[in-house]
Structures are given as structure tokens and as C-alpha cells.
Amino acid sequence: MLRRELGSIDGVQQISLEDALSNQEVEVAYICTESSSHEDYIRQFLNAGKHVLVEYPMALSLAAAEDLWALAEQKGKVLHEEHIELLMEEFAFLKKEVVGKDLLKGSLLFTAGPLEEERFGFPSFSGISRLTWLVSLFGELSLVSATLEERKEDQYMKMTVCLETENKRPLTWIEEKGQGLKRNRYLSFHFKSGALENMPNVGINKNILLKDQNIFVQKLLGQFSEKELAAEKKRILHCLGLAEEIQKNCYSQK
């Protein structure tokens, strides 16, 4: 499923959703639509007996994600949530930089143009790739506080989230979106042994979509261990649970 009509590509005609669901020759569905529609499409394809690859986030609530995973297991199908941010050169650099170091504090700020929340979800969900970075680098996190500043007339929003590692080290995650803001990422991590301020140029991200699809294929072929699959599922559900908790916290401040 895509966000746009493709017509015919290299002589292959795009088919309808109904045809994709009913066609026994279609074994796998790739869902690349607005986040608000992910849950419904996943459910339809799993019930039709298809394996599913979906862009993050798979759903806009923890309960929905847990239900979808249970459905995939019931149907004996692979449900794979794409996480190309973990395949980026920047993340590989960070992973290497932080390993074995004792974090004191850190922050991650992401800026971009206006957010279409009705299509892509609350900022903690639409920006879940940044949260996934923090969890993948520093382990499971707990929420301390979260606030949301909005100026809808200017299409501006700023979400500020204070998190804490299991060792009680503070991490701040900020999503700031509005007219004129360029897509960029700013980070600052302080360790006992020194500091990492912002991201150096670490090269071009090559074929990360293809790399993620290869991971999906490996799952289809049974090349991932149960331990690896369980760890990935735990991380994804932890991030979705945090995103939901952040959303509720922000709404409670209004």
C-alpha cells in the first residue's frame, strides 16, 4: 500500500486493495501509507493471510500494536516494522561512540517543517525514530515529564520530553516543527570520559530501504533467532508505550 497512485511500472499494473487482499499469489504486503492508516491495513492483510512490512510506527497506541502482533502470531505471519534509522551511518557512528561509556546527560533535538498530525500522529509517534535511537543507544527509558507548545495559526509545535535511563541519567528529547524550520538533527551527549556535540559528517546512507527489506526477507526465511525477534519486539513496544505515555502527559498539561 502506497500514498499515491502509480499506474503501470515496467508493464506491471497497480492493483486495488481488494485484489491484493484476495489474490492468493500475493504473499507479502508493504505498507507505506500515512501512520493513521497503518493499523487498519495491517489488520486487513494479516487476516487475509499475508506477511506484512510496515513503516514505523505500526500503530498509534501500544494496545493496538500488541493486538496486531498477537494477530500475526495467531496467523503464523511475519509482521515487520521498518526502522531504517537504525541502519543509517549516523546511528552506526553513535553506537560505536557510546559503547562502554558512562552517560552523564544527553539531549536530542529534531527540527522540520509543519507536522500533519491527523495523518502522521502525535509528535511522539511521528518522531518515534528519534526515540528509537535513544532507547537503542541507552537502554529502556522512563518518562519524567513532557510538554507541548503549539501555535496552530503559525503551524508551529514544540514537544519537550524529559526522560531518564535505568541509571537515573537525564535525557531530553525535543521535536520542533514549523514553517521555515529546516530538517535537521542536533545532539549532545556528555560522558564521564568526554562529550559528543552534534553529528560529524559520517558519509552517505546507501540502500537503507533495501537493507531493511533484506532483514524482512531474512525473517521470512527463518534466519532470525527467537531471542533476536523477542528483543526487537520488546524494543518496539517499549518505544510505542513511551510515545503513548508522552502523548497523555502532554494532553494532561493543557
Side-chain angles (χ1 to χ4, degrees):
M1 291 301 302
L2 296 171
R3 298 186 184 96
R4 61 187 184 280
E5 296 293 325
L6 297 178
S8 176
I9 298 178
D10 295 332
V12 178
Q13 194 71 30
Q14 184 175 6
I15 64 174
S16 67
L17 171 62
E18 292 73 19
D19 286 342
L21 289 167
S22 62
N23 192 328
Q24 296 303 306
E25 293 184 354
V26 176
E27 298 180 5
V28 170
Y30 285 36
I31 299 175
C32 311
T33 59
E34 290 84 357
S35 303
S36 57
S37 66
H38 286 177
E39 178 186 348
D40 180 53
Y41 284 136
I42 293 170
R43 197 176 301 280
Q44 289 189 62
F45 278 108
L46 287 176
N47 278 321
K50 319 295 185 185
H51 301 286
V52 175
L53 180 154
V54 61
E55 293 180 326
Y56 62 77
M58 68 169 65
L60 298 179
S61 75
L62 175 60
E66 291 174 330
D67 188 50
L68 291 172
W69 236 306
L71 178 60
E73 291 171 1
Q74 175 193 335
K75 297 290 184 179
K77 298 301 173 183
V78 172
L79 173 56
H80 172 74
E81 185 181 73
E82 172 194 273
H83 277 286
I84 57 174
E85 78 278 11
L86 298 181
L87 303 173
M88 298 172 71
E89 295 296 328
E90 293 95 328
F91 180 75
F93 169 82
L94 286 176
K95 194 75 173 174
K96 185 178 178 180
E97 282 294 306
V98 307
V99 66
K101 293 182 179 178
D102 189 357
L103 178 73
L104 297 177
K105 63 178 181 178
S107 64
L108 175 59
L109 162 65
F110 180 78
T111 61
L115 169 68
E116 295 181 73
E117 186 175 331
E118 65 281 358
R119 297 175 64 197
F120 299 105
F122 190 79
S124 56
F125 285 98
S126 63
I128 204 164
S129 64
R130 267 76 67 187
L131 184 57
T132 301
W133 262 26
L134 293 175
V135 169
S136 298
L137 290 171
F138 302 111
E140 292 195 352
L141 305 172
S142 57
L143 178 63
V144 176
S145 66
T147 59
L148 180 68
E149 176 189 349
E150 286 185 291
R151 296 195 302 272
K152 292 188 176 181
E153 66 278 11
D154 298 326
Q155 294 183 292
Y156 174 83
M157 60 73 53
K158 182 178 181 181
M159 180 187 73
T160 303
V161 181
C162 296
L163 301 160
E164 204 171 57
T165 69
E166 290 182 338
N167 293 329
K168 304 298 182 183
R169 304 302 192 187
L171 284 168
T172 303
W173 169 36
I174 299 172
E175 294 275 311
E176 186 174 19
K177 299 184 178 183
Q179 295 181 13
L181 289 177
K182 293 183 179 180
R183 188 179 179 87
N184 218 327
R185 190 188 298 110
Y186 307 91
L187 57 84
S188 174
F189 297 134
H190 290 255
F191 306 95
K192 284 186 176 179
S193 57
L196 176 62
E197 300 282 354
N198 291 320
M199 179 70 69
N201 187 348
V202 293
I204 299 172
N205 293 303
K206 295 181 179 179
N207 302 319
I208 54 176
L209 287 170
L210 182 59
K211 290 176 182 177
D212 189 86
Q213 290 172 18
N214 285 339
I215 292 172
F216 179 47
V217 170
Q218 289 170 24
K219 290 180 180 179
L220 294 175
L221 296 174
Q223 295 175 355
F224 270 67
S225 69
E226 290 297 322
K227 184 178 180 180
E228 289 172 317
L229 293 172
E232 180 186 58
K233 177 181 176 181
K234 183 181 179 183
R235 187 204 73 228
I236 290 171
L237 292 178
H238 175 68
C239 289
L240 288 169
L242 269 179
E244 185 171 7
E245 191 179 358
I246 290 166
Q247 180 180 12
K248 290 178 180 177
N249 206 276
C250 286
Y251 283 155
S252 71
Q253 304 299 316
K254 290 188 175 184

